């Protein structure tokens, strides 16, 4: 029995418990999702999208799943204490894949802003759920999205009403904890209505040194003239395996920035998809990865221009050490009606050793004739001339290398629009290059 068959058998065996411990609004999407998963099967390298990540291989192994929704004994508000200076946030916690309603400073969020669990959504939001949930995370297109939809039991729902400016960033802390190897399936649904503005920070941490297998799906809907910034930081242990999908749908004149930053991981495969559906929309898609040992990071992006007069900027940077493996597959798709598209895609990587491997596939697919599109990818080593120059000015080789790596990767960090977070990440990047396995919090999380 292969891994796909084992997962199908798991769903069949546990379906009653899954549905019993979950709301009907999630249960209604499972039958079509599991049907899609059965048809697609877990992807292998034979599938072009996952050419550099053998997903089926990484899903092998024995993992427990908390279908019974047994509560965790972890006191998240005591374990996690964000120590970013001058960063004031409204916090919500996910432990494994369960939403915890303890939200700090909730009362000072603007009127109408709602943060809640998908499994306990109030009746007044069911219309929104039916309208948005699963609409851009299509289970027919990707087996991991289908599996997540079939197995997910909780997640976070965030609603920003129209004409609402949320000055305080909303911080979601996703903590993985277990004494046994564990599979978790997390979901996030964000709706930012017209003329709204909001910043999100999603922090991912593992507490225990076991192996975690995580699927995550995030759907972001930006209404007309909405401005959404979504920053995700990964600091998981080296045994973790993470398969994450982010989908963004943008209406006219909206601006959305997604910035995914991997500071420490085991296996990470991140798919980011933008759909520009309204004229004047702007997408800003960024990511960076600092990896060493035998860590693996694969970023797969799609920016789809469907209407005229839209813009998109994309920047991904990697620094790879030891025997680590990085991959980037980026597609800019310009539909026939999307005239006056302006799109730029850039991927740059540095391999610090001969054993590090980086695979880059920038792609353009253009069906309109009045566009301005460019893409490019480079893979190289640290600039020997720059190293020599700094050595002649009294720097040690260690200091010179550190400075060059720091300057290289921080082009991505500098795109962050939350100033205290940007400054903190500059420090974390420097510590990561020094080999310090640090947290972005002052907590006990490792």
């Amino acid at each position: 029995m292969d891994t796909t068959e084992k997962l199908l058998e798991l769903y069949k065996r546990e379906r009653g418990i899954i549905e019993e411990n979950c709301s009907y609004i999630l249960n209604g999407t499972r039958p079509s999702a599991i049907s899609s998963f059965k048809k697609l099967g877990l992807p292998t390298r034979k599938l072009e999208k996952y050419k550099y990540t053998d997903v089926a291989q990484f899903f092998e192994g024995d993992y427990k799943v908390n279908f019974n929704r047994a509560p965790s004994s972890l006191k998240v508000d005591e374990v996690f204490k964000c120590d970013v200076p001058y960063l004031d946030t409204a916090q919500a916690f996910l432990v494994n894949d369960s939403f915890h309603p303890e939200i700090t400073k909730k009362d000072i969020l603007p009127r109408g802003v709602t943060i809640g669990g998908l499994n306990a959504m109030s009746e007044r939001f069911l219309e929104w759920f039916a309208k948005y949930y699963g609409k851009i995370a299509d289970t027919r297109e990707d087996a991991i999205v289908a599996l997540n939809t079939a197995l997910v039991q909780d997640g976070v729902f965030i609603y920003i009403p129209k004409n609402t400016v949320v000055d305080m960033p909303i911080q979601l802390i996703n903590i993985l904890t277990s004494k046994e190897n564990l599979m978790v399936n997390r979901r996030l649904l964000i709706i930012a209505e017209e003329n709204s503005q909001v910043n999100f920070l999603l922090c991912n941490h593992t507490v225990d040194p076991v192996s975690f297998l995580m699927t995550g799906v995030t759907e972001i809907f930006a209404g007309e003239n909405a401005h959404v910034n979504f920053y995700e930081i990964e600091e998981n242990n080296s045994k973790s395996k993470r398969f994450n999908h982010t989908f963004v749908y943008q209406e006219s004149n909206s601006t959305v920035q997604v910035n995914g930053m991997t500071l420490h991981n085991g296996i990470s495969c991140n798919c980011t998809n933008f759909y520009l559906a309204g004229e004047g929309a702007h997408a800003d898609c960024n990511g960076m990865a600092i990896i060493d040992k035998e860590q693996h990071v694969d970023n797969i992006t799609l920016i789809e221009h469907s209407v005229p007069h839209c813009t998109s900027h994309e920047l991904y940077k990697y620094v790879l050490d030891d025997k680590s493996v990085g991959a980037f597959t980026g597609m800019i798709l310009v539909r026939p009606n999307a005239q006056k598209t302006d799109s730029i895609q850039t991927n740059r990587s540095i391999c610090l050793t001969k054993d590090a491997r980086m695979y880059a596939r920038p792609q353009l697919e253009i069906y309109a004739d009045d566009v301005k599109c460019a893409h490019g990818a480079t893979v190289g080593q640290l600039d020997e001339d720059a190293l020599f120059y700094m050595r002649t000015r009294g720097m040690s080789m260690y200091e010179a290398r550190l400075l060059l790596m720091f300057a290289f990767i921080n082009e991505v960090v500098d795109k962050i629009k939350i100033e205290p977070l940007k400054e903190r990440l500059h420090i974390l990047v420097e510590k990561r290059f020094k080999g310090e396995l640090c947290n972005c919090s002052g907590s006990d999380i490792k």
Side-chain angles (χ1 to χ4, degrees), residues 162-188:
K162 64 180 180 180
N163 303 319
T164 300
V165 176
V166 185
D167 293 320
M168 174 179 292
I170 296 174
Q171 184 178 13
L172 307 177
I173 299 99
N174 187 36
I175 298 174
L176 301 182
T177 176
S178 178
K179 301 306 178 186
E180 302 178 273
N181 294 345
L182 185 70
M183 179 182 184
V184 296
N185 303 283
R186 185 262 302 153
R187 199 83 180 207
L188 175 59

Side-chain angles (χ1 to χ4, degrees), residues 200-323:
F200 295 98
L201 171 59
L202 175 57
C203 303
N204 296 281
H205 299 281
T206 51
V207 175
D208 299 300
V210 301
S211 178
F212 293 97
L213 174 62
M214 192 201 83
T215 71
V217 175
T218 297
E219 294 178 284
I220 302 172
F221 293 86
E224 183 177 350
N225 201 41
H227 288 70
V228 179
N229 296 314
F230 183 82
Y231 307 118
E232 183 163 11
I233 302 171
E234 181 183 6
E235 279 193 302
N236 292 327
N237 68 34
S238 58
K239 295 181 180 180
S240 63
K241 301 177 180 68
R242 164 184 147 100
F243 297 88
N244 192 55
H245 286 72
T246 301
F247 298 89
V248 181
Y249 183 91
Q250 295 185 235
E251 296 184 358
S252 59
N253 299 310
S254 62
T255 299
V256 177
Q257 181 186 105
V258 172
N259 198 332
M261 293 156 282
T262 300
L263 292 174
H264 195 270
N265 75 301
I267 307 296
S268 285
C269 184
N270 304 296
C271 298
T272 305
N273 300 267
F274 280 82
Y275 300 96
L276 306 182
E279 291 193 28
H282 175 70
D284 197 4
C285 180
N286 309 291
M288 69 91 165
I290 304 171
I291 52 178
D292 54 15
K293 301 180 177 64
E294 295 183 354
Q295 296 169 5
H296 177 111
V297 172
D298 188 357
N299 281 295
I300 303 163
T301 69
L302 168 66
I303 299 179
E304 181 174 339
H305 290 258
S306 300
V307 297
H309 301 286
C310 290
T311 58
S312 63
H313 295 159
E314 185 172 6
L315 176 64
Y316 276 79
K317 288 194 168 186
Y318 294 66
V319 176
L320 305 96
D321 204 351
D322 302 324
K323 295 182 179 181

